[in-house]
Amino acid sequence: MTVQRIVGIETEYGILQNGNPRANPMLMSSQVVTAYRAISSNARGRARWDYQDEDPLNDARGFHLPRASAHPSMLTDDPSLPAPSGNEMILAKGTRAQNLARPRVEAYDDPGAANAILTNGARLYVDHAHPEYSSPEVTTPRDAVIWDVAGERVMLEASRQLAQTMGLDLQLYKNNTDSKGSSYGTHENYLVDRDVPFSTLVAILTPFFVTRQVFTGSGRVGLGTHGQLPGFQLSQRADFIEALVGLETTMRRPIINTRDEPHTDRVRWRRLHVIIGDANLLEPTTYLKIGTTYLVLWAAERLAEHHDLAARFSALELRDPVADVSTVSRDLSCSVELELRSGKRLSAIAIQREYLGVVTELLSRAKNDDPVAEQTDDVLARWANILNALESDPMSCARQVEWVAKYRLLESMRRRSNLEWDHPKLAMMDIQWSDVRPERSLYRKLVAAGAVDTIAEESEIQSAVTHPPTDTRAYFRGEAMAHYAGSIVGASWDSVIFDVPESPNLQRIPMLDPWRGTQKHVGQLFDAHPHNPATFLQALLGQK
């Protein structure tokens, strides 16, 4: 059994207009999306987001929150768009497509819709008054880094386009808080075997998420939701976590989010929607964040067959995990011990070592056909090395751990200028760290100076801005937008809707299997029909 799984990262970017503190964030965010549409290769596209398979109020604990009881911020679907229905046609073995008896594109037209489906398979849109880049589905931690950094370049190009064409100085930040009481998310998504009980995932993942901050935090100036207390902490999100489990993402934010919206075949998979993580710029931090979580989830899927290892995970249950999130975040020494339900006390590093030990032992027992074995070994080695280095001297990790890199830079400024941690200059530098403009970003200055490590090659990032991964359904979505943008009226993670003159109806191609629609499956069809969506669909639907 391979350790590979489908992964994606969604990032809401902070936004402001220089010189205009009262600028409308919804309008600014819409301008960012519209600007990028104007310069991207799908500029002529008219595609709306297809909400048919979205249900943000379905809870993994076994119930559905009534719409009338939901806070407006929880409604990420669009009830105003009627759901398509009709007869189905074959897409690929095991999946089917709908031939929609539906009025033509007018049903999808909405000039005010700030949404773009990109040729790299990603989605760029406005979410909760922030421009959000949702990466395409990938299958490895390294690819997660590449297409995540590609999102930074998308935002940079959009902001520069606005400056050139409209004279708007919109500043975008890849961070999670404005230090004025607001927090916005960076959400990880992992497909997990539906056979694993959700309660098992909660039990296994809670101590892991609480303690992984020691190497995944991006660092933050200020303590408290408003940064009202002086100091520096590991994580930008920690002070905004208020519950153990829950459906919410913008209030009473939980360690474990319960949204059960898989965007795929829900009989086979669930999508674990992780909201506790930080927005990371340092590539090794993103790589280790995704890679370790990826492996812990693989272990969770296997533990029913290994009771001794399951018991080791069970022994890590924390007595007060919600409070421990802040405890870990405020411990720059990474040495404070947390109380377990058993009464035993362990540091965050010791708990992470237990996870590493279980995963390593399980891999040694498993007979895996692992096409990414080299990355698996690399993640394990980095995981072990980082924990050892953090235990010995956290400041030695500045090349690989973002909070350490930021802290060292700001601490140097603080000492040199004799500043306290509540000085506005340090808060400004914290924000400036995450500026997407390389000429302004403190992080980018460290990259240029060779002071931090990177994972991806520049050529890979540039390619990922416009091209999709080749080994997931994102390939089909991205290539369809690249070849037939003018004929696509809707798309989502698990569908693409075509409107071709030769057909009286819209044609919805569902993609419930994220491992299909890859270059291997449909690459030759795009090559054979590069400009004719009608013949492409005929060939596609003729496949058995």
Side-chain angles (χ1 to χ4, degrees):
M1 178 69 71
T2 177
V3 304
Q4 270 190 300
R5 70 184 58 250
I6 300 295
V7 180
I9 303 175
E10 312 165 16
T11 303
E12 298 174 20
Y13 281 71
I15 187 168
L16 61 83
Q17 183 177 352
N18 189 30
N20 186 7
R22 295 187 178 183
N24 186 312
M26 286 289 291
L27 176 59
M28 290 189 293
S29 299
S30 297
Q31 289 169 329
V32 168
V33 176
T34 303
Y36 193 75
R37 285 179 64 100
I39 59 175
S40 65
S41 56
N42 67 348
R44 292 177 296 131
R46 48 183 175 166
R48 284 286 307 271
W49 194 248
D50 175 19
Y51 290 96
Q52 173 170 298
D53 295 328
E54 299 205 4
D55 187 0
L57 303 181
N58 200 43
D59 197 295
R61 292 169 290 185
F63 61 86
H64 190 280
L65 182 68
R67 199 171 192 91
S69 301
H71 189 274
S73 66
M74 300 170 70
L75 302 177
T76 59
D77 56 345
D78 184 358
S80 66
L81 190 64
S85 61
N87 298 322
E88 298 182 334
M89 300 184 294
I90 298 298
L91 165 61
K93 188 175 181 179
T95 62
R96 293 181 293 179
Q98 290 183 328
N99 183 13
L100 305 183
R102 168 71 78 91
R104 284 195 170 275
V105 69
E106 289 77 15
Y108 288 86
D109 279 341
D110 179 2
N115 180 80
I117 299 100
L118 308 185
T119 59
N120 70 352
R123 182 188 183 194
L124 178 65
Y125 71 115
V126 178
D127 188 20
H128 299 137
H130 293 271
E132 177 172 314
Y133 172 86
S134 295
S135 80
E137 306 93 323
V138 298
T139 65
T140 70
R142 191 172 188 279
D143 280 353
V145 172
I146 292 170
W147 270 272
D148 181 56
V149 178
E152 299 168 20
R153 305 299 174 85
V154 166
M155 292 296 183
L156 175 61
E157 290 183 24
S159 64
R160 286 179 169 167
Q161 171 72 3
L162 286 170
Q164 293 171 3
T165 60
M166 299 181 63
L168 285 177
D169 186 5
L170 298 189
Q171 299 168 9
L172 294 167
Y173 301 93
K174 191 184 183 188
N175 64 357
N176 297 113
T177 178
D178 59 4
S179 293
K180 298 178 181 178
S182 297
S183 181
Y184 29 97
T186 297
H187 300 166
E188 305 149 55
N189 297 283
Y190 305 85
L191 280 197
V192 185
D193 191 328
R194 176 69 71 167
D195 288 340
V196 180
F198 189 74
S199 59
T200 298
L201 291 177
V202 173
I204 290 174
L205 291 172
T206 297
F208 176 72
F209 285 152
V210 170
T211 58
R212 71 173 189 171
Q213 299 174 80
V214 295
F215 55 79
T216 65
S218 61
R220 180 188 171 203
V221 172
L223 309 179
T225 55
H226 290 74
Q228 61 267 33
L229 299 176
F232 184 92
Q233 59 178 311
L234 279 58
S235 169
Q236 297 226 332
R237 286 287 268 182
D239 288 340
F240 298 91
I241 299 300
E242 302 177 273
L244 175 57
V245 295
L247 191 57
E248 297 86 354
T249 60
T250 63
M251 54 188 179
R252 282 190 53 79
R253 296 176 180 90
I255 296 171
I256 307 292
N257 183 256
T258 60
R259 181 182 296 174
D260 190 5
E261 190 180 43
H263 300 315
T264 184
D265 182 353
R266 66 171 49 250
V267 174
R268 298 172 63 186
W269 293 295
R270 72 170 78 250
R271 175 177 63 109
L272 183 68
H273 189 55
V274 180
I275 73 167
I276 194 173
D278 285 4
N280 294 120
L281 288 159
L282 206 70
E283 294 175 20
T285 298
T286 301
Y287 179 76
L288 201 55
K289 176 175 68 177
I290 298 297
T292 57
T293 307
Y294 184 99
L295 290 176
V296 169
L297 288 172
W298 173 83
E301 293 170 338
R302 318 260 88 74
L303 284 180
E305 307 160 12
H306 302 271
H307 298 293
D308 58 327
L309 298 181
R312 287 176 63 180
F313 274 166
S314 298
L316 299 175
E317 184 181 3
L318 297 167
R319 183 170 297 278
D320 192 352
V322 176
D324 288 341
V325 173
S326 291
T327 298
V328 173
S329 183
R330 299 183 186 196
D331 174 26
L332 303 188
S333 70
C334 302
S335 62
V336 171
E337 294 183 335
L338 309 177
E339 185 177 0
L340 307 185
R341 182 70 66 180
S342 64
K344 187 177 181 180
R345 300 184 72 89
L346 291 176
S347 69
I349 291 174
I351 291 172
Q352 282 293 315
R353 279 210 181 96
E354 277 296 294
Y355 280 96
L356 171 61
V358 171
V359 169
T360 302
E361 173 61 23
L362 195 54
L363 283 166
S364 72
R365 298 181 187 183
K367 295 180 179 180
N368 286 320
D369 176 19
D370 187 1
V372 292
E374 185 176 347
Q375 280 192 56
T376 299
D377 292 343
D378 185 52
V379 169
L380 291 173
R382 286 174 182 263
W383 196 358
N385 291 338
I386 283 295
L387 294 178
N388 291 337
L390 286 168
E391 185 173 57
S392 174
D393 176 15
M395 295 304 105
S396 69
C397 302
R399 297 191 66 88
Q400 297 89 29
V401 177
E402 186 162 350
W403 75 262
V404 179
K406 182 188 286 186
Y407 176 80
R408 286 188 61 178
L409 181 67
L410 271 59
E411 174 67 359
S412 175
M413 168 62 74
R414 191 182 75 83
R415 290 182 178 275
R416 187 165 60 248
S417 302
N418 194 29
L419 305 176
E420 298 297 328
W421 275 111
D422 56 358
H423 196 281
K425 188 170 186 178
L426 295 176
M428 180 193 70
M429 291 178 68
D430 189 5
I431 298 293
Q432 193 176 348
W433 173 273
S434 58
D435 197 317
V436 301
R437 298 169 296 182
E439 66 275 14
R440 296 285 296 170
S441 169
L442 296 182
Y443 163 71
R444 286 293 162 194
K445 293 183 187 301
L446 292 185
V447 173
V452 293
D453 292 343
T454 57
I455 295 290
E457 300 292 336
E458 179 61 27
S459 59
E460 294 176 305
I461 297 169
Q462 289 295 337
S463 177
V465 171
T466 54
H467 294 91
T470 61
D471 59 350
T472 71
R473 65 186 177 191
Y475 178 81
F476 180 86
R477 184 187 313 113
E479 289 296 298
M481 292 304 303
H483 286 80
Y484 316 122
S487 297
I488 295 176
V489 296
S492 70
W493 302 116
D494 56 14
S495 69
V496 175
I497 302 174
F498 288 80
D499 180 13
V500 296
E502 292 82 355
S503 172
N505 303 312
L506 301 182
Q507 294 176 306
R508 185 177 189 265
I509 308 297
M511 303 179 292
L512 290 178
D513 188 343
W515 296 95
R516 298 196 63 84
T518 66
Q519 184 180 54
K520 179 181 178 180
H521 294 137
V522 296
Q524 290 184 343
L525 291 182
F526 283 114
D527 292 341
H529 309 275
H531 306 298
N532 192 326
T535 59
F536 170 80
L537 286 173
Q538 289 174 0
L540 175 70
L541 297 169
Q543 285 186 343
K544 302 293 185 182

